[in-house]
Amino acid sequence: MTTLVRHITFDCHDAYGLGTFWAGVLGGSIAESDLPGDDEVLVSTPEGPTLLFVRVPDDKTAKNRVHFDLQPQERSRDEEVERVLKLGAALVADHRRPDGRGWVTLADIEGNEFCVERSTAERAATEG
């Protein structure tokens, strides 16, 4: 028998707001039954996991121990970074190198860190 990861769950202050942010980043959708102010919001993504956002009273106090590494499919790393910044992300650290390698660490609208890596095409161009 195997075990399935049913959801990746985020504790947050604004479940609908954070769910909307990640739906925008990942091209996903919020469940039709979820509304602003709900305690839980479920986001389905076309190619990946289901994300569950749950309202909690606690503040985020430390660096994430687990985070997403995003690899854009139709855009370059730099185009994806700019797009996600426009959605409300904040720049945490820029690890891009002059040779095109590297990644960018961002934070979502509640401070959860994630990274944007190079696309498959960019990897092939620098490694081939």
Side-chain angles (χ1 to χ4, degrees):
M1 281 194 136
T2 61
T3 299
L4 173 70
V5 174
R6 184 160 177 234
H7 308 296
I8 298 173
T9 302
F10 287 74
D11 290 348
C12 58
H13 287 288
D14 179 4
Y16 193 85
L18 193 56
T20 299
F21 172 84
W22 280 104
V25 170
L26 300 173
S29 59
I30 293 177
E32 289 183 20
S33 60
D34 292 333
L35 301 170
D38 284 354
D39 288 334
E40 295 182 1
V41 170
L42 189 65
V43 173
S44 298
T45 61
E47 302 264 345
T50 301
L51 307 179
L52 177 62
F53 299 89
V54 179
R55 183 186 354 229
V56 298
D58 309 314
D59 289 330
K60 180 181 178 300
T61 59
K63 182 183 182 308
N64 300 16
R65 296 294 302 262
V66 175
H67 69 268
F68 292 139
D69 287 337
L70 305 180
Q71 184 181 38
Q73 300 299 299
E74 289 95 31
R75 289 175 281 280
S76 70
R77 174 199 54 214
D78 296 347
E79 290 168 334
E80 184 70 354
V81 167
E82 290 305 313
R83 185 183 78 84
V84 176
L85 287 170
K86 287 178 184 172
L87 290 173
L91 179 66
V92 174
D94 192 333
H95 303 281
R96 290 177 276 196
R97 298 186 204 156
D99 68 0
R101 291 180 166 88
W103 68 95
V104 178
T105 304
L106 301 172
D108 70 19
I109 60 174
E110 289 205 14
N112 301 297
E113 295 90 1
F114 62 98
C115 295
V116 179
E117 298 181 348
R118 296 176 295 150
S119 67
T120 302
E122 290 172 301
R123 288 175 182 278
T126 57
E127 295 171 5

